[in-house]
Amino acid sequence: GQQLNQSPQSMFIQEGEDVSMNCTSSSIFNTWLWYKQDPGEGPVLLIALYKAGELTSNGRLTAQFGITRKDSFLNISASIPSDVGIYFCAGRVSPTSNSGYALNFGKGTSLLVTP
Amino acid sequence: EPEVTQTPSHQVTQMGQEVILRCVPISNHLYFYWYRQILGQKVEFLVSFYNNEISEKSEIFDDQFSVERPDGSNFTLKIRSTKLEDSAMYFCASRDRDRTYGYTFGSGTRLTVV
């Protein structure tokens, strides 16, 4: 499958700081998603992006679908301790008619927030 | 909030044994998935299932894997002869028709092959 390069690999920040992470691909994607995974849990969808240039917010989270369709970023403003977790980008190229709409995931950004 | 339920939460098995991982998707969802995550690595797609058949599968999903929806509620992943490298978290997910990528993931089954 298409490789997604996610950076940074980990971040260690203080409560209240803003956070930015991004994801790039050598292939064009038509969908970008951002998930959060807490320890011992499955990924939870945070934001879904379906159009190049799209900028979408979900509370303190903002994500953008890059205009080249090969990248996306996620920003978290005013971080709090419960933001701790692993954040994954995921994407999909144009599915075929028989596609199961499978996702390709990045390797994740591990976020630690100190009070 | 509806949930995807997976059992068991942790399974230890000997190499060469068969294991069945069980999932109860959200009741009105039509599309079902299995993903796996080797410790410390990314989440990887295994298989998708719709209308009682596999709609897509990855290279990982070889002949030792199979999926089944034996009744109206359960969705299972069978690994016929487990290998050490099958040790991973296995996540089941489901979605409804209207949310193309709006998966709901279960909490996973941690499979340890010894």
Side-chain angles (χ1 to χ4, degrees):
Chain A
Q2 293 77 16
Q3 292 281 9
L4 295 182
N5 300 306
Q6 193 171 344
S7 65
Q9 187 175 355
S10 62
M11 304 183 75
F12 188 76
I13 62 169
Q14 284 199 315
E15 184 177 3
E17 288 184 15
D18 296 343
V19 172
S20 184
M21 59 191 79
N22 68 78
C23 205
T24 61
S25 171
S26 57
S27 303
I28 290 175
F29 278 67
N30 71 342
T31 303
W32 284 96
L33 305 105
W34 286 92
Y35 283 85
K36 182 188 179 203
Q37 185 178 27
D38 291 327
E41 299 292 328
V44 174
L45 182 64
L46 299 174
I47 294 179
L49 303 159
Y50 297 105
K51 284 169 43 175
E54 182 179 353
L55 182 72
T56 298
S57 293
N58 177 7
R60 293 177 296 105
L61 278 60
T62 302
Q64 184 157 31
F65 192 142
I67 57 173
T68 65
R69 297 171 65 192
K70 292 183 178 181
D71 63 329
S72 177
F73 71 75
L74 174 71
N75 287 344
I76 306 173
S77 62
S79 57
I80 58 178
S82 62
D83 291 333
V84 165
I86 302 177
Y87 292 79
F88 291 98
C89 63
R92 177 71 195 194
V93 299
S94 297
T96 65
S97 59
N98 293 326
S99 169
Y101 292 88
L103 294 175
N104 295 319
F105 279 80
K107 292 186 177 181
T109 293
S110 178
L111 179 64
L112 293 174
V113 181
T114 58
Chain B
E1 177 107 16
E3 290 184 344
V4 173
T5 306
Q6 289 186 244
T7 55
S9 58
H10 191 183
Q11 179 148 2
V12 181
T13 189
Q14 286 203 322
M15 192 168 54
Q17 294 294 306
E18 175 183 286
V19 294
I20 298 177
L21 309 183
R22 303 183 190 279
C23 171
V24 178
I26 294 174
S27 61
N28 63 339
H29 284 189
L30 301 175
Y31 301 82
F32 313 113
Y33 303 84
W34 284 100
Y35 283 76
R36 80 170 185 191
Q37 185 180 30
I38 295 171
L39 186 63
Q41 298 190 24
K42 67 176 184 177
V43 178
E44 299 175 291
F45 168 72
L46 292 178
V47 66
S48 60
F49 192 87
Y50 170 70
N51 201 26
N52 286 319
E53 61 182 22
I54 291 173
S55 48
E56 190 174 2
K57 60 182 181 179
S58 71
E59 293 173 353
I60 303 169
F61 194 87
D62 60 22
D63 290 344
Q64 69 162 341
F65 292 92
S66 62
V67 290
E68 198 177 31
R69 189 157 161 82
D71 52 42
S73 59
N74 290 286
F75 180 51
T76 61
L77 174 70
K78 182 191 290 187
I79 309 175
R80 260 180 274 283
S81 178
T82 50
K83 303 192 280 278
L84 294 177
E85 54 264 38
D86 293 328
S87 295
M89 282 288 285
Y90 287 82
F91 292 106
C92 174
S94 68
R95 69 173 177 91
D96 64 24
R97 186 194 305 273
D98 296 327
R99 298 189 68 209
T100 306
Y101 294 103
Y103 293 16
T104 301
F105 282 87
S107 296
T109 293
R110 178 170 297 284
L111 177 65
T112 303
V113 182
V114 297

